[in-house]
């Protein structure tokens, strides 16, 4: 199963959510704190299993201090799911885009695992010193990290990374404090549409019976024409 904590109600989906700021994944236990009435969550390390659904939905904010979000949800075959922020205020997030790229780099026909984490400021990644807290997410298959697939550029050459989001220019030619996410938005839209279509096709194909098995179960010599059944019934009535 994907993780050990299960929600109440047989057949219901147990949802986990990745916090891209803290690099943690938490599960809604379906219980509430008796003193505060707030939902109780449990932090889990990893979710794993066979993907059989990928959904995107807009999540408007009721608080003007927070931006509207677009959330992606990955569903697994054992009725567990994990969601993550794909866009904030209409613009794609690099955290979400990196996770999508790793899903594209995986074999969607086989089980995989997803593990978020956080590298603190001052820690090192190889020889590089991390200047600020950095959340990340790992996707693995057969215990090995999956390399991201960024697709190809306009010339058909493999892309080596996600599209950049350069700073918008001021009237004087200098950089503003706002970025242009249009290229990243386009990449995310295309990548997630491909993921949705691929996962849907896989799920529908899994529902179809194997044609060879179906034919083997009904050999030609065992086939009975419905017209023959009707004629036999009429003969019995006439007798």
């Amino acid at each position: 199963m994907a993780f050990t904590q299960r929600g109440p109600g047989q057949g219901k989906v147990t949802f986990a959510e990745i916090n891209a700021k803290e690099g943690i994944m938490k599960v809604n236990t379906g219980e509430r704190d008796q003193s505060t009435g707030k939902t109780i969550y449990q932090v889990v390390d990893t979710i794993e299993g066979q993907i059989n659904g990928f959904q995107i939905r807009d999540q408007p904010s009721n608080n003007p201090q927070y931006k509207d979000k677009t959330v992606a949800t990955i569903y697994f075959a054992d009725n567990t799911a994990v969601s993550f922020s794909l866009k904030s205020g209409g613009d794609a997030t690099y955290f979400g885009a990196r996770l999508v790229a790793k899903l594209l780099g995986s074999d969607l026909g086989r089980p995989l695992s997803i593990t978020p984490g956080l590298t603190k400021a001052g820690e090192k990644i190889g020889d590089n010193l991390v200047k600020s807290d950095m959340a990340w997410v790992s996707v693995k298959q057969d215990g090995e990290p999956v390399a991201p697939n960024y697709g190809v550029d306009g010339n058909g050459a493999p892309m080596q990374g996600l599209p950049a989001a350069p700073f918008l220019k001021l009237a004087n030619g200098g950089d503003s404090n706002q970025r242009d996410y249009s290229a990243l938005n386009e990449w995310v839209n295309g990548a997630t549409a491909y993921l949705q279509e691929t996962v849907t096709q896989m799920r529908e194909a899994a529902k179809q019976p194997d044609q060879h098995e179906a034919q083997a179960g009904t050999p030609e010599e065992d086939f009975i024409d419905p017209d023959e059944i009707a004629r036999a019934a009429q003969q019995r009535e006439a007798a």
Side-chain angles (χ1 to χ4, degrees):
M1 63 188 301
F3 37 66
T4 56
Q5 187 68 31
R6 298 287 295 182
Q10 185 176 4
K12 293 184 178 179
V13 176
T14 303
F15 286 95
E17 180 181 351
I18 296 176
N19 185 316
K21 291 184 178 180
E22 300 177 8
I24 62 173
M25 180 164 51
K26 58 184 182 179
V27 176
N28 185 338
T29 65
E31 301 176 356
R32 291 186 179 275
D33 186 292
Q34 293 183 354
S35 60
T36 64
K38 293 184 178 180
T39 301
I40 299 175
Y41 291 91
Q42 178 175 345
V43 175
V44 294
D45 294 329
T46 299
I47 184 170
E48 59 185 1
Q50 176 60 56
I51 293 177
N52 72 345
F54 186 80
Q55 182 187 69
I56 298 172
R57 72 183 190 280
D58 293 327
Q59 187 173 305
S61 173
N62 296 323
N63 189 332
Q65 294 182 347
Y66 298 97
K67 296 179 179 180
D68 295 343
K69 293 195 302 182
T70 298
V71 175
T73 303
I74 305 168
Y75 292 87
F76 292 84
D78 68 343
N79 282 348
T80 54
V82 60
S83 62
F84 60 96
S85 178
L86 193 63
K87 293 183 180 180
S88 177
D91 289 325
T93 67
Y94 273 101
F95 182 92
R98 292 188 186 100
L99 177 47
V100 168
K102 291 179 181 180
L103 293 176
L104 292 176
S106 68
D107 179 355
L108 294 173
R110 297 192 298 115
L112 54 78
S113 66
I114 299 173
T115 305
L118 182 71
T119 300
K120 291 282 190 178
E123 296 181 4
K124 281 189 173 183
I125 300 179
D127 295 329
N128 299 317
L129 186 68
V130 178
K131 296 181 180 179
S132 58
D133 291 356
M134 184 179 68
W136 48 265
V137 63
S138 171
V139 176
K140 292 184 177 181
Q141 283 187 312
D142 301 325
E144 296 296 326
V146 172
N149 179 1
Y150 300 112
V152 296
D153 60 20
N155 298 320
M159 294 175 60
Q160 300 304 309
L162 293 169
F167 285 104
L168 295 172
K169 295 295 183 180
L170 298 171
N172 61 8
D175 288 339
S176 70
N177 62 354
Q178 295 182 327
R179 292 181 178 271
D180 179 6
Y181 287 93
S182 56
L184 183 63
N185 288 338
E186 183 178 358
W187 185 92
V188 165
N189 291 341
T192 53
Y194 174 82
L195 272 177
Q196 280 186 301
E197 181 181 3
T198 301
V199 173
T200 299
Q201 289 177 349
M202 288 171 49
R203 185 175 64 246
E204 294 302 318
K207 294 179 181 178
Q208 302 298 322
D210 186 279
Q211 295 300 317
H212 296 292
E213 292 182 1
Q215 292 172 5
T218 55
E220 188 66 29
E221 58 268 23
D222 292 341
F223 178 75
I224 301 177
D225 191 333
D227 290 339
E228 292 184 9
I229 298 175
R231 284 194 293 270
Q234 291 174 353
Q235 291 174 358
R236 285 196 300 270
E237 292 178 0

